[in-house]
């Protein structure tokens, strides 16, 4: 081998924030705070305070590989912790505060977190958790002395006091790029949550890839507002790629309702945003009710669960390019983006739409294939569907502490999704393998049925689940929430499916409910729905 002569510079998270300071030092980071009001500073400030918090953690005895947890919204202190914790060689462990307290306690104990930093919103939760979490030496309230919570929390520390005690003269260590940097537990619809452990190297490569024009298209001219929480797989990489590119960053705090988001989009001239479909339902409904328009927003990235085609259309009516994306915690999380190619732009909007609704094509770095039950690769013809497998430098090899054992199949990670891949490389999820409805030995895609149901003008949200049937094993049931003021009937909704799917895919029944249950990351909680409707008697049974 003739060895290349380039330098061996480790890919480190600290280098992202140092670069942002040097090249985009005056670019703003704007946060809506939990204490109330808007906080504004720059990447130079983030870098300085990240070094101060890194020093403070050292003083608290946080060492290489120690886990430090956060229970926090998207805000500037959370961003400082992202860099301060990982930058010094400890592990940034973001915890989803929407999980049940028992699950959170399980996760903290499993991760053996040394400290937990929390936003004031979560003081009552922390009060409950503290006695159950023996590995935690201290609980850091992410606020100043004046706002410290009155709750009964042992070893309570004040974030601003920790920062103020340090001078920021900290040099980031030159770590091995394989050093663990961040830990995120997947909500795990079955069994206990399991931790995906990201390295510095994987995180930096993922951030580069996520910045590409056909992915987030980040640049120093963009203003990015991640609605996706920083506790949901590192805000899909935005907390890293925004400083890497010098994009202005707008962090919405706890205000994720339509009104709060709209006001922030407009006040800060946001150009790009990302989040799960549920949050956009709220934002788009608010805009429709109030006859509003966007003045700066160009791009909305939708992922985490299937983006209903009607949402892509509604965004388009507001002049926003809605890009469908797919990924998972175990993939850091990005896998595919649905950006169009030149040949699509020559097509009619209807033809383009057929591609837009797919989850998208692999980002360079991610390899994908679909296989049948025997593990044989299936054709990339857009029709054959099978288990989706992935591999690449930001895909996990296994879970933290070996949970779940050896999970790879010949080096490929099984995603648990069922998908097609077309000749242009666009992947489309037909279902999560545990959500497919199995009727008479054939599979019915619950996502397809849900997309049709929500396209009905009287339906706000819908879930399709399999309910047991004496002859067909399972048949589809639609559980739906009506739009405010709409009075659609069961018969009308079932009729709406005719001609849109083959006859045997048409659901057998509809149940109207007030609300649908969601997971902690905003996805339909189908395990609970299947439980709730276990005894549902189908009229066809
Ligand atoms: P969790 O499993 O912890 O809820 P993840 O965010 O890792 O969290 O979930 C990954 C799963 O979410 C994927 O395997 C897939 O089933 C689903 N998913 C993500 N994005 C999409 C999408 N655009 N369309 C359909 N399903 C999606």
């Amino acid at each position: 081998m003739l060895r290349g002569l380039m330098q061996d510079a480790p890919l480190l998270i600290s280098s992202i924030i140092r670069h942002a300071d040097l090249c985009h030092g005056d670019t703003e980071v704007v946060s809506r705070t939990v204490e109330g009001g808007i906080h504004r500073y720059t990447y130079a400030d983030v870098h300085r305070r990240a070094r101060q918090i890194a020093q403070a953690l050292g003083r608290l005895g946080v060492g290489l590989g120690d886990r430090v947890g956060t229970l926090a919204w998207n805000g500037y202190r959370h961003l400082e912790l992202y860099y301060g914790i990982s930058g010094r060689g400890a592990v940034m462990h973001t915890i989803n505060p929407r999980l049940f307290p028992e699950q959170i306690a399980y996760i903290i104990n499993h991760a053996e977190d040394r400290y937990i930093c929390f936003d004031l919103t979560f003081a009552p939760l922390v009060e409950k958790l503290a006695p159950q979490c023996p590995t935690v030496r201290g609980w850091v309230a992410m606020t100043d002395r004046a706002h410290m919570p009155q709750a009964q929390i042992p070893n309570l520390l004040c974030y601003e006091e920790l920062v103020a005690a340090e001078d920021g003269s900290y040099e980031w260590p030159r770590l091995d790029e394989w050093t663990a940097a961040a830990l995120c537990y997947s909500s795990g619809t079955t069994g206990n949550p399991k931790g995906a452990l990201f390295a510095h190297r994987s995180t930096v490569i993922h951030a580069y890839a996520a910045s590409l024009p056909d992915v987030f298209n980040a640049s120093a001219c963009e203003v990015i507002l991640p609605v996706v929480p920083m506790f949901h797989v590192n805000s899909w990489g935005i907390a890293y790629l925004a400083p890497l590119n010098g994009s202005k960053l707008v962090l919405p705090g706890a205000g994720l309702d339509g009104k709060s988001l709209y006001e922030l989009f407009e006040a800060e001239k946001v150009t790009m945003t990302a989040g799960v479909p549920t949050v956009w339902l709220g934002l788009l409904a608010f805009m429709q009710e109030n006859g509003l328009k966007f003045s700066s927003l160009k791009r909305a990235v939708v992922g985490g669960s299937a983006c209903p085609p009607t949402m892509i259309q509604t965004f388009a009516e507001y002049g926003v390019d809605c890009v469908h994306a797919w990924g998972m915690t175990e993939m850091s999380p990005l896998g595919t983006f649905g950006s169009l190619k030149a040949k699509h732009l020559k097509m009619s909007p209807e033809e383009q739409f057929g591609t837009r609704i797919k989850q998208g094509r692999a980002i360079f770095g991610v390899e994908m294939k679909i296989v049948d039950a025997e593990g044989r690769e299936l054709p990339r013809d857009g029709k054959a569907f099978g288990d989706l497998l992935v591999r690449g430098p930001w895909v996990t090899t296994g879970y933290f502490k070996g949970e779940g054992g050896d999970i790879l199949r010949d080096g490929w990670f099984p995603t648990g999704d069922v998908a097609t891949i077309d000749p242009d490389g666009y992947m489309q999820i037909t279902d999560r393998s545990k959500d497919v409805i199995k009727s008479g030995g054939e599979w019915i895609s619950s996502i397809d049925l849900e997309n049709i149901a929500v396209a009905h003008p009287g339906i706000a949200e819908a879930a399709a689940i399999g309910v047991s049937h004496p002859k067909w094993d399972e048949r589809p049931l639609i559980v739906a929430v009506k739009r405010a003021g709409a009075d659609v009937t069961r018969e009308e909704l079932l009729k709406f499916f005719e001609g849109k799917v083959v006859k045997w895919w048409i659901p057998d029944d509809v149940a109207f409910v007030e609300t649908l249950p969601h997971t902690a990351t905003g996805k339909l909680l189908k395990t609970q729905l299947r439980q709730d409707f276990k005894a549902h008697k189908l009229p066809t049974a």
Side-chain angles (χ1 to χ4, degrees):
M1 171 181 86
L2 177 62
R3 208 179 147 86
L5 291 175
M6 295 300 117
Q7 299 185 357
D8 179 16
L11 301 173
L12 298 179
I13 287 174
S14 54
S15 59
I16 295 179
I17 200 65
R18 191 196 299 123
H19 173 79
D21 180 358
L22 290 173
C23 298
H24 309 284
D26 62 354
T27 299
E28 276 188 308
V29 175
V30 181
S31 311
R32 182 179 271 140
T33 68
V34 175
E35 294 94 332
I38 296 285
H39 174 275
R40 227 172 252 287
Y41 70 170
T42 65
Y43 281 127
D45 298 317
V46 181
H47 189 208
R48 180 175 36 80
R49 284 171 49 96
R51 280 174 294 170
Q52 286 171 286
I53 202 69
Q55 283 176 307
L57 291 170
R59 202 181 290 276
L60 290 171
V62 172
L64 262 182
D66 280 349
R67 274 77 68 197
V68 178
T70 60
L71 280 165
W73 301 109
N74 293 5
Y76 67 102
R77 293 189 183 105
H78 205 176
L79 189 67
E80 294 162 7
L81 286 164
Y82 258 63
Y83 289 94
I85 296 171
S86 304
R88 66 166 295 117
V91 178
M92 170 74 180
H93 174 205
T94 51
I95 304 166
N96 186 338
R98 296 190 184 124
L99 295 169
F100 291 120
E102 306 80 66
Q103 275 176 310
I104 298 179
Y106 169 86
I107 289 173
I108 293 173
N109 289 325
H110 189 272
E112 299 175 78
D113 290 328
R114 290 276 176 263
Y115 288 87
I116 304 273
C117 307
F118 65 96
D119 267 336
L120 288 177
T121 326
F122 306 115
L125 172 66
V126 165
E127 201 172 7
K128 251 188 265 166
L129 290 171
Q132 305 171 51
C133 302
T135 64
V136 179
R137 295 188 198 136
W139 302 82
V140 182
M142 292 160 66
T143 191
D144 55 16
R145 182 47 59 188
H147 292 90
M148 284 297 279
Q150 295 307 309
Q152 290 300 312
I153 299 170
N155 306 319
L156 180 62
L157 298 162
C158 169
Y159 185 91
E160 287 303 329
E161 285 179 359
L162 290 177
V163 170
E166 308 297 338
D167 62 8
S169 66
Y170 180 77
E171 295 279 339
W172 296 115
R174 188 185 156 104
L175 305 166
D176 181 320
E177 65 181 13
W178 287 96
T179 306
L183 177 65
C184 183
Y185 281 72
S186 155
S187 19
T189 30
T190 55
N192 279 321
K194 294 178 194 66
L197 187 62
F198 313 109
H200 282 260
R201 174 191 150 84
S202 64
T203 305
V204 173
I205 301 176
H206 179 265
Y208 268 119
S211 306
L212 289 168
D214 277 354
V215 189
F216 276 115
N217 189 28
S219 84
C221 301
E222 298 290 324
V223 181
I224 309 181
L225 186 152
V227 176
V228 51
M230 288 164 76
F231 55 75
H232 190 186
V233 227
N234 308 321
S235 55
W236 300 349
I238 293 174
Y240 303 114
L241 69 86
L244 185 150
N245 292 284
S247 315
K248 172 176 164 182
L249 191 57
V250 183
L251 301 171
L256 302 180
D257 59 286
K259 181 168 187 288
S260 307
L261 284 177
Y262 179 76
E263 286 170 0
L264 205 53
F265 277 130
E266 288 304 302
E268 300 302 328
K269 298 274 166 269
V270 172
T271 58
M272 203 253 288
T273 186
V276 296
T278 346
V279 294
W280 306 126
L281 289 178
L283 175 69
L284 294 170
F286 175 76
M287 295 187 57
Q288 277 158 348
E289 282 156 25
N290 296 281
L292 301 168
K293 285 195 169 72
F294 291 117
S295 66
S296 55
L297 190 66
K298 290 181 301 202
R299 210 150 195 253
V301 175
V302 182
S305 40
C307 176
T310 44
M311 186 169 280
I312 299 179
Q313 272 157 340
T314 313
F315 267 119
E317 286 159 21
Y318 283 106
V320 176
D321 187 20
C322 173
V323 186
H324 200 180
W326 166 87
M328 55 197 310
T329 309
E330 292 83 346
M331 301 177 69
S332 303
L334 300 180
T336 64
F337 253 65
S339 298
L340 299 182
K341 302 184 187 182
K343 68 174 176 190
H344 299 120
L345 298 178
K346 296 192 195 111
M347 297 175 177
S348 70
E350 292 72 36
E351 284 171 307
Q352 281 182 11
F353 197 62
T355 302
R356 279 181 187 280
I357 59 173
K358 297 191 174 187
Q359 273 72 6
R361 54 197 154 85
I363 302 165
F364 173 70
V366 173
E367 279 184 83
M368 294 191 305
K369 67 174 179 182
I370 45 173
V371 298
D372 66 13
E374 278 73 49
R376 282 181 302 242
E377 185 163 357
L378 293 165
R380 296 162 75 101
D381 60 5
K383 292 187 194 82
F385 56 89
D387 290 328
L388 179 65
L389 309 185
V390 293
R391 67 178 180 191
W394 60 82
V395 178
T396 193
T397 53
Y399 293 105
F400 187 41
K401 294 186 173 172
E403 288 300 327
D406 183 9
I407 52 172
L408 300 188
R409 286 196 221 156
D410 281 338
W412 293 78
F413 174 76
T415 63
D417 288 324
V418 179
T420 61
I421 303 178
D422 72 19
D424 287 321
Y426 288 82
M427 180 273 285
Q428 185 164 28
I429 305 256
T430 53
D431 231 322
R432 222 170 145 79
S433 52
K434 43 188 182 286
D435 292 339
V436 250
I437 300 163
K438 300 193 179 78
S439 173
E442 297 286 344
W443 288 6
I444 300 176
S445 155
S446 67
I447 295 181
D448 280 3
L449 299 184
E450 285 155 10
N451 284 343
I452 295 171
V454 296
H456 189 286
I459 300 297
E461 206 184 1
I465 54 167
V467 173
S468 75
H469 188 283
K471 176 157 176 219
W472 301 109
D473 185 21
E474 278 184 356
R475 288 293 302 155
L477 164 73
I478 297 286
V479 188
V481 179
K482 291 183 197 176
R483 239 176 236 291
D487 63 348
V488 47
T489 63
R490 171 188 178 277
E491 287 67 30
E492 274 165 23
L493 187 56
L494 291 180
K495 197 147 179 49
F496 191 67
F497 282 86
E498 287 174 17
K500 298 190 175 74
V501 283
V502 287
K503 221 159 161 216
W504 62 274
W505 276 41
I506 297 177
D508 283 19
D509 204 4
V510 176
F512 290 108
V513 291
E514 290 298 316
T515 54
L516 285 168
H518 291 97
T519 68
T521 48
K523 304 173 197 209
L524 286 170
L525 188 53
K526 293 202 187 163
T527 41
Q528 188 186 321
L529 278 177
R530 281 193 285 265
Q531 197 56 36
D532 292 351
F533 287 90
K534 212 172 160 184
H536 184 85
K537 190 141 169 41
L538 293 170
T540 50

